[in-house]
Amino acid sequence: MSRPVRAAVFASGSGSNFQALLDAERGSSAPYEIVLLVSDRASAGAIERAGSHQVDSRVVSFRLREMDEVDAELVEALEEAEVEVIFLAGFLRLVPPGVVQRWRGRILNIHPALLPAFGGKGMWGMHVHRAVLDAGARLTGPTVHLVDEIYDRGAILAQWPVPVLQGDTPETLAARVLEVEHRLYPRVAAHLCRAIQRNEKVRPLDAGAEAFIPTDPPLT
Ligand code: GAR
């Protein structure tokens, strides 16, 4: 199969990673095609981005609802759009178990720290960067991993170390990591989709892999 893999992106916020995935898709012959944006928030900036790129979007509320009901709504929307792969891009909800089961091995998440450190429930966005600084870590950086039933636990496919600099605030650190996220995520997304196209099990990216990205800036 060499046609592009049909992808959905799940985003709760501004969706700059969604934008990076779109830009990579439109700028080159990406092995994926984003056909649906799902958000749990009607006010998410990602929805506007979807509109300006002619990508269908759907708001699925999680608030005060039974997980089973949300799960069924999501599975139906994803099946209707014939989605084959899902990229979480700043999605702050736990993916319901029916979705995980149906798309197992085909759901990616990007997390803004070097998992397994600084992950788990409540560890998202600025909370992560604050925890990294509070712990005195000298190295951080995004992790891209497969999604399972537990927050931030699935198999790691790629990480990109980013130094913590003296005087960093959560905001400066977040900006440095986010810039790297935008470069890393489309490459790992493409890597997973190429494995799907070849009907192969996806392997972590490493120094021998075509899409390996060296540390930047170099560590000293
Ligand atoms: C990104 O930094 C992403 O890694 C993080 O939320 C931000 C979303 O930014 N995700 C998590 O913390 C998940 N645990 P974006 O909306 O601009 O892509």
Side-chain angles (χ1 to χ4, degrees):
M1 173 181 101
S2 54
R3 62 168 177 78
V5 177
R6 294 175 68 82
V9 173
F10 286 18
S12 302
S14 93
S16 72
N17 276 292
F18 169 43
Q19 186 71 55
L21 290 163
L22 279 170
D23 291 347
E25 176 194 333
R26 309 281 151 112
S28 64
S29 50
Y32 61 82
E33 175 192 2
I34 300 173
V35 296
L36 183 66
L37 181 271
V38 171
S39 185
D40 57 314
R41 296 185 184 177
S43 60
I47 294 174
E48 235 168 84
R49 294 186 197 266
S52 52
H53 289 82
Q54 291 77 48
V55 171
D56 285 345
S57 61
R58 173 126 179 193
V59 177
V60 176
S61 173
F62 280 58
R63 276 203 64 183
L64 307 173
R65 291 179 75 195
E66 294 294 332
M67 190 60 113
D68 284 359
E69 197 186 309
V70 178
D71 206 342
E73 183 180 341
L74 278 171
V75 170
E76 195 189 324
L78 294 166
E79 281 184 342
E80 195 182 296
E82 296 177 25
V83 165
E84 299 165 292
V85 70
I86 300 168
F87 306 137
L88 308 188
F91 188 64
L92 305 182
R93 302 280 183 174
L94 191 65
V95 178
V99 175
V100 174
Q101 210 176 320
R102 167 75 176 73
W103 282 273
R104 193 175 297 284
R106 290 176 169 222
I107 311 177
L108 281 185
N109 180 41
I110 187 156
H111 183 79
L114 298 172
L115 292 174
F118 307 110
K121 190 166 163 57
M123 275 294 189
W124 53 271
M126 220 45 90
H127 299 289
V128 177
H129 302 295
R130 214 168 281 128
V132 166
L133 289 174
D134 288 349
R138 298 183 55 198
L139 209 54
T140 185
T143 299
V144 180
H145 64 94
L146 292 172
V147 169
D148 66 12
E149 287 81 355
I150 312 278
Y151 278 110
D152 302 328
R153 188 193 63 176
I156 292 173
L157 296 187
Q159 295 186 304
W160 190 341
V162 171
V164 179
L165 303 181
Q166 238 177 13
D168 259 336
T169 62
E171 290 75 20
T172 59
L173 189 54
R176 190 175 317 115
V177 172
L178 194 61
E179 194 250 329
V180 175
E181 290 182 41
H182 296 161
R183 294 160 72 183
L184 181 64
Y185 206 16
R187 297 191 202 191
V188 186
H191 173 70
L192 172 63
C193 292
R194 279 194 293 267
I196 292 172
Q197 286 175 328
R198 295 183 194 129
N199 207 15
E200 285 172 7
K201 191 168 152 43
V202 66
R203 294 150 63 118
L205 290 177
D206 59 35
E210 166 200 340
F212 174 74
I213 303 158
T215 303
D216 178 27
L219 297 172
T220 50

